[in-house]
Amino acid sequence: LGAVTNISGELVNSRLKKLSGRISGIEKRTIRNHITLIGFDTTNSILAENLKRNKKHFIIIIEDSSLVDKLKDMGYSAFTANILSELDMKDFKLNKAKKVIIDIRDTSKTVYAALVAKSLIGNDKNIVVVATTLELEKYLRTVGINNIINPASMAAAEISKNM
């Protein structure tokens, strides 16, 4: 009976997860030592493909429930949440993540999501933020986020080397 309960519980949990896009209680208990991708702009999209190919344990958190459904259909562990809410983001145990990578097209959401992650983790050492402009990069540093990657700056530096 216990085995049947476990199996049926997992089936129900799987179905509810698929329908809602929200994280379930069972998943909350098992999340640790994972990589968290917040947002799904270009960098996190490519990163997710690489992580999946290398069989790394990671989750994707975004606000768009229709994109969550597509990502789940593609085999990703994706969830919908208000990425600017400490209450919503607390469920994903960012403090137990190996890395938190924030890649959001909207610059103001990028800053707020980084501040929420830093607040939940207690520091910024495991947070990497993808910045799309030098201005955003500068602002993130002023609010104490120091691990910043700017793909455009990196590309420009690489192109400059070969001139």
Side-chain angles (χ1 to χ4, degrees):
L1 183 60
V4 171
T5 303
N6 281 344
I7 292 169
S8 63
E10 286 297 321
L11 290 172
V12 169
N13 180 54
S14 173
R15 185 68 182 137
L16 287 174
K17 180 177 84 171
K18 173 69 175 137
L19 290 174
S20 71
R22 305 294 289 181
I23 190 165
S24 71
I26 292 171
E27 291 166 314
K28 285 180 196 178
R29 289 191 298 273
T30 61
I31 290 180
R32 67 182 175 286
N33 207 26
H34 59 294
I35 299 164
T36 302
L37 307 181
I38 300 174
F40 205 70
D41 208 8
T42 307
T43 301
N44 272 357
S45 174
I46 293 168
L47 182 56
E49 289 176 23
N50 293 340
L51 292 170
K52 184 177 178 186
R53 185 173 36 259
N54 293 316
K55 298 179 177 18
K56 300 289 184 182
H57 178 58
F58 69 99
I59 61 173
I60 302 166
I61 307 167
I62 55 177
E63 294 180 314
D64 182 348
S65 59
S66 62
L67 180 55
V68 165
D69 290 341
K70 289 177 188 172
L71 292 171
K72 286 182 177 196
D73 289 342
M74 294 167 57
Y76 291 111
S77 184
F79 303 95
T80 184
N82 178 351
I83 59 174
L84 308 181
S85 164
E86 281 192 32
L87 187 62
D88 272 15
M89 295 305 290
K90 188 180 264 186
D91 288 342
F92 298 100
K93 298 184 181 178
L94 301 183
N95 60 324
K96 295 185 188 273
K98 279 188 207 178
K99 283 285 182 204
V100 175
I101 299 92
I102 300 170
D103 181 26
I104 305 164
R105 189 170 303 250
D106 182 309
T107 56
S108 60
K109 283 187 176 185
T110 298
V111 172
Y112 283 109
L115 291 172
V116 166
K118 183 178 176 184
S119 173
L120 291 172
I121 295 170
N123 60 60
D124 73 326
K125 69 179 183 171
N126 290 334
I127 301 169
V128 178
V129 180
V130 178
T132 53
T133 66
L134 293 174
E135 182 182 357
L136 175 58
E137 197 174 334
K138 181 181 173 186
Y139 187 73
L140 286 164
R141 290 191 199 290
T142 64
V143 296
I145 304 295
N146 297 300
N147 198 358
I148 302 163
I149 294 178
N150 186 328
S153 291
M154 293 170 72
E158 188 64 28
I159 292 167
S160 296
K161 277 197 274 185
N162 297 319
M163 294 183 143

